[in-house]
Amino acid sequence: MRTGSALQWTALDRATRREAATLLRAAIREDVGRGDVTSRALVPAGAVARAVIVARRPCVLAGLPLAAEVFRRLDRRIRCESDHRDGETLRAGAAALHVEGPARALLAGERIALNFLQRLSGIATLTREFVRRVGSTGVTILDTRKTTPGWRRLEKYAVRCGGGENHRMGLYDRVLIKDNHRKLWAGTSARPLADAIRAARRRCGGRLIEIEVDTERELLDALEGRPDWILLDNMSLARLRRCVRLVRGRARLEASGGVSLHNVRAIAATGVDAISVGALTHSAPAADFGMDFL
């Protein structure tokens, strides 16, 4: 059994730990409040118990350090062990986490730990399926900012556990010129998109510059500004293929809009570099875990 790095809070980067700590405090306060009245009534104060968190159906594991931290925060005497680590695929019936310690604390942490595991493992599992569908095409599956408020770093961590990559963490770390920016852009010229890219590059230092386009004409305009990435928004497969031919490697291409498990392979086959999928975080079904006392 692993008791070390796989379960350590420090397995998460510092920024993710800060977000997770805030969520853990809120979740414990929300669920436990002033105490578990049922356990106080029925479970002796000194009782010790063992339990195991089991995957009811196959999934990709994500959130194991958080689940362990839930129990440690409720009672430091709880011992947590696992044979697995985040990113691994669990079969149905596999034990994700073994816990042992004061019974009241185990009962108090049960639902909180399961909630984190189910949400994050659900995202990792869906991401892994998208990655599997694009197979050997070399196309990267990206997430979006369509995340649960307050959960962004954790949900994007789960995407990485599933084999996807993160797009922007927020508005601050990458320039993405979208349609509404273009409507408000004050510049007027024969090449408005190219000028918008140039203006952004002057004002935003060394950040990556990406621009959204809807047509081939907009694509050619944008290429004049030499962006790092071009976002091809809600395009048909035929139009995506034409855009790939027009660009000829002068910028990296991201396809977005209407992406599903049914069409992601066909989109990847058009020759784009990446496909962004909002569903990874806004529509992932929860993984199925349960906690059984032994």
Side-chain angles (χ1 to χ4, degrees), residues 129-141 264-265 268 275:
E129 184 58 23
F130 271 97
V131 171
R132 189 188 71 80
R133 294 287 178 102
V134 300
S136 59
T137 62
V139 171
T140 301
I141 296 296
V264 69
R265 176 75 185 195
I275 302 171

Side-chain angles (χ1 to χ4, degrees), residues 169-244:
M169 193 60 66
L171 296 173
Y172 50 84
D173 58 0
R174 182 173 183 166
V175 175
L176 177 48
I177 304 168
K178 295 176 69 68
D179 54 352
N180 286 333
H181 296 105
R182 288 162 41 188
K183 289 176 183 176
L184 297 170
W185 162 237
T188 56
S189 72
R191 296 288 191 187
L193 302 189
D195 284 350
I197 294 164
R198 294 182 186 112
R201 199 172 296 284
R202 287 194 303 270
R203 296 166 184 171
C204 297
R207 289 180 175 84
L208 287 173
I209 307 290
E210 182 171 9
I211 189 165
E212 176 186 299
V213 302
D214 299 317
T215 66
E216 292 92 326
R217 183 174 181 178
E218 290 178 353
L219 175 72
L220 293 172
D221 180 356
L223 281 170
E224 292 292 323
R226 297 186 177 181
D228 301 293
W229 282 82
I230 297 175
L231 173 61
L232 307 175
D233 187 44
N234 281 295
M235 290 188 179
S236 67
L237 295 176
R239 177 163 276 179
L240 286 172
R241 285 190 289 268
R242 288 196 296 271
C243 288
V244 170

